Every structure is written in structure tokens, then in C-alpha cells.
Amino acid sequence: MGKGSRVRPSTLLVSVIVAGLFTAMAVYVRAASAAGEWQIQFPPPLKRETVVDVVAMLHAIRDVESGDRPTRIGPKGERSAYQFKEAIWRFHTRVPFRVESTNPEIAETIAQRHFEQLRKEFANELLPFTPEFIAAAWHHGSPGAAAHVRDDYAQRAARLYALYATQP
């Protein structure tokens, strides 16, 4: 850069590898327009070690998905109190979807398997396993969870989870 050239204010995303681990942490570096100074803003720390009560979380998902109605059929063919799509159902079992998806005991078993599958996917993707992320992944799929954490669905499920997790 020559004398008198200016750097435009911009947002840069810098990946940082911490302590030799392959964990990337997003660091947002912003150029302040008026003062011409650099400001570094770190995102809030992720709660990776959050322990989520499976029973309370699944109860919250049932309530948000279907009002806890096991025979509910969604507009896109989703079934059960958990509103499973057929592909998710078939990923976890060979039990016939259209016949058994409204059976609460079978649906509960599939929900627990799906919950554990999400836990594994979150660990592989280094996503925080929080009620908001779990609900977003349940509704939108785990690849799109981060983009939907603040959606009404995820927030409602997280509030219900907080209520159910504190009940004896």
C-alpha cells in the first residue's frame, strides 16, 4: 500500500486454532470506520458441556411439534407426537412408518435414538448441545441448526425444556 492509502472498514472472519486442537473459533475483526482502529470481538463462549435431560427435552419437542398428540399428521406427511418425516423414521428403524408411527411407545424409542444421533452429529461438528440447538436441529436438520437457533420454534422448545427440566 502506498502512502495515503486507506483501508476500508470491513468484517473479516478469522479462524483460530487453539492449543493445537483442530477446534476453530470464529473471531470477528472489525475495522472501526471513524477512528481507523481495529476492534476484535470474540463471540460468547459455547456451552459444549451442557447436560441435557433427555426426558424433558423430548417432552418439550412433543409439545411444540404436535401439542403432544401421537396421532397428529403434519402438512408434509410428518407423523407421531414428534412429527417424524419418513426418512428420519427409516434411518432409525425398519418398523413400518405409516402403520406404527402413531404408536407412542415406538415413537418414543425412535425419538430417543434420534436424540442420540443428534448428540453424535453435534459432537462431530463441534456444535453446542443445548436445548436451542437440539430443537433447531430437530425441526430443520442438524446441518441447518445454527441458522435457526433463534427461531420461534427453538426458543419455545427451550423455554418448555427449562420448565420441564425443573419439575420433579
Side-chain angles (χ1 to χ4, degrees):
M1 284 186 162
K3 215 175 185 183
S5 58
R6 300 173 105 168
V7 176
R8 294 175 150 244
S10 62
T11 303
L12 304 172
L13 178 61
V14 179
S15 295
V16 178
I17 298 178
V18 180
L21 299 174
F22 294 102
T23 304
M25 181 173 114
V27 178
Y28 294 92
V29 181
R30 228 177 6 119
S33 59
E37 299 171 359
W38 289 92
Q39 298 175 349
I40 298 176
Q41 297 176 333
F42 293 93
L46 298 177
K47 299 176 189 172
R48 293 192 195 285
E49 301 303 319
T50 301
V51 176
V52 177
D53 178 347
V54 179
V55 174
M57 190 70 228
L58 292 179
H59 189 179
I61 288 170
R62 281 194 317 265
D63 279 357
V64 175
E65 283 288 351
S66 69
D68 204 5
R69 294 186 313 243
T71 58
R72 178 148 193 275
I73 299 175
K76 296 179 183 173
E78 308 93 341
R79 293 176 179 258
S80 91
Y82 294 101
Q83 293 295 282
F84 291 115
K85 292 180 180 171
E86 190 167 1
I88 295 294
W89 183 270
R90 291 195 186 285
F91 180 82
H92 296 292
T93 187
R94 293 185 188 271
V95 174
F97 178 67
R98 296 197 193 297
V99 177
E100 296 293 343
S101 58
T102 57
N103 180 324
E105 291 82 22
I106 295 174
E108 185 68 25
T109 299
I110 303 308
Q112 290 172 359
R113 289 177 185 172
H114 190 55
F115 183 88
E116 289 306 315
Q117 179 63 32
L118 289 176
R119 183 189 310 274
K120 290 175 189 173
E121 290 175 16
F122 280 41
N124 290 340
E125 297 297 323
L126 301 175
L127 292 171
F129 199 67
T130 63
E132 294 87 355
F133 267 84
I134 295 165
W138 196 280
H139 196 63
H140 297 282
S142 55
H148 297 283
V149 170
R150 300 209 189 285
D151 288 1
D152 182 56
Y153 176 94
Q155 294 301 309
R156 283 186 298 141
R159 284 191 300 272
L160 285 170
Y161 169 78
L163 175 69
Y164 300 146
T166 58
Q167 293 178 349

